[in-house]
Amino acid sequence: DTGVSQDPRHKITKRGQNVTFRCDPISEHNRLYWYRQTLGQGPEFLTYFQNEAQLEKSRLLSDRFSAERPKGSFSTLEIQRTEQGDSAMYLCASSWGQSTGELFFGEGSRLTVL
Amino acid sequence: QKEVEQDPGPLSVPEGAIVSLNCTYSNSAFQYFMWYRQYSRKGPELLMYTYSSGNKEDGRFTAQVDKSSKYISLFIRDSQPSDSATYLCAMSAGNAGNMLTFGGGTRLMVKP
């Protein structure tokens, strides 16, 4: 399978704990995006990388959130001191170069904060 | 008010019906318009992609964009139970980062 891969698919944690999600994009894609989706809502943009550079961050991305993409390959999204409001589906997407709109999404990582 | 509005549904139709899904938007900078299909507990899957105004057809799916009215539509002909999913419209201004702004999604149920 050469699609976007995310891990874990589901994470249940207690409030205050740290969690980390991993995304492996389609191998030839240089852009990688993180979106968050809550129940009954559309995905909301969080941040994106072009190669290893993080070029844009949404105001939704509080100081407790950090994303990295070392060497421009896979990416991690870490949430520190989780809150119940962080419960959502975290979606990763990738695209190539100058493409405008053709984002390919992974299956998502569902976070439940108790 | 959200930048992209979409009726959440659910929209229930019999198999074989023509389905019309719509979004309105407020940002006149949007130039690229997409429709994604999302099955329960899955990631969004790109269905249709159009640039600026006009129509685009792909099999049973037709996407329409009317920039003057800030209104986009997706038509599904001969709907099938397998089309039952949430349909998300998304759009971008084509800026450097190409961030997409999504509607809230319309849940479609096609009954056999």
Side-chain angles (χ1 to χ4, degrees), chain A residues 38 81 107 112:
Chain A
T38 54
R81 305 182 302 282
E107 299 284 19
T112 302

Side-chain angles (χ1 to χ4, degrees), chain A:
Chain A
D1 185 14
T2 58
V4 177
S5 177
Q6 293 189 245
D7 184 70
R9 293 293 311 280
H10 192 190
K11 178 73 175 179
I12 302 173
T13 191
K14 293 183 179 179
R15 189 176 52 188
Q17 298 294 305
N18 298 344
V19 296
T20 299
F21 300 114
R22 175 180 169 125
C23 171
D24 288 90
I26 294 171
S27 58
E28 61 266 29
H29 287 180
N30 62 345
R31 290 186 175 182
L32 186 147
Y33 302 79
W34 286 99
Y35 283 77
R36 181 173 68 188
Q37 185 176 26
T38 54
L39 198 62
Q41 301 298 315
E44 295 177 295
F45 170 77
L46 292 178
T47 189
Y48 100 96
F49 293 83
Q50 179 148 324
N51 300 312
E52 67 276 8
Q54 187 174 19
L55 297 184
E56 189 79 26
K57 292 195 293 185
S58 163
R59 55 183 169 78
L60 295 175
L61 214 64
S62 76
D63 291 344
R64 296 184 297 105
F65 288 70
S66 63
E68 294 182 345
R69 191 183 182 197
K71 301 178 183 178
S73 55
F74 70 93
S75 175
T76 58
L77 177 68
E78 181 183 16
I79 309 173
Q80 297 181 326
R81 305 182 302 282
T82 52
E83 301 173 356
Q84 287 186 325
D86 296 332
S87 295
M89 174 81 88
Y90 290 86
L91 292 163
C92 177
S94 69
S95 71
W96 169 246
Q98 299 302 312
S99 66
T100 46
E102 296 175 352
L103 269 62
F104 296 88
F105 282 85
E107 299 284 19
S109 292
R110 182 174 298 278
L111 174 64
T112 302
V113 182
L114 302 176

Side-chain angles (χ1 to χ4, degrees), chain B residues 34-101:
Chain B
M34 291 125 263
W35 286 94
Y36 283 83
R37 177 175 61 196
Q38 187 174 28
Y39 292 112
S40 181
R41 299 186 178 275
K42 299 288 188 180
E45 170 194 10
L46 181 64
L47 275 180
M48 299 289 284
Y49 162 74
T50 53
Y51 168 66
S52 194
S53 289
N55 295 357
K56 183 175 182 178
E57 186 174 325
D58 184 1
R60 295 185 297 112
F61 299 92
T62 299
Q64 288 186 352
V65 175
D66 183 349
K67 289 188 69 179
S68 62
S69 300
K70 296 189 178 66
Y71 187 88
I72 69 170
S73 301
L74 177 70
F75 297 95
I76 307 174
R77 291 183 298 280
D78 187 25
S79 56
Q80 302 295 309
S82 58
D83 294 327
S84 297
T86 295
Y87 289 79
L88 298 157
C89 63
M91 41 200 83
S92 80
N95 52 10
N98 193 37
M99 286 78 77
L100 299 183
T101 301

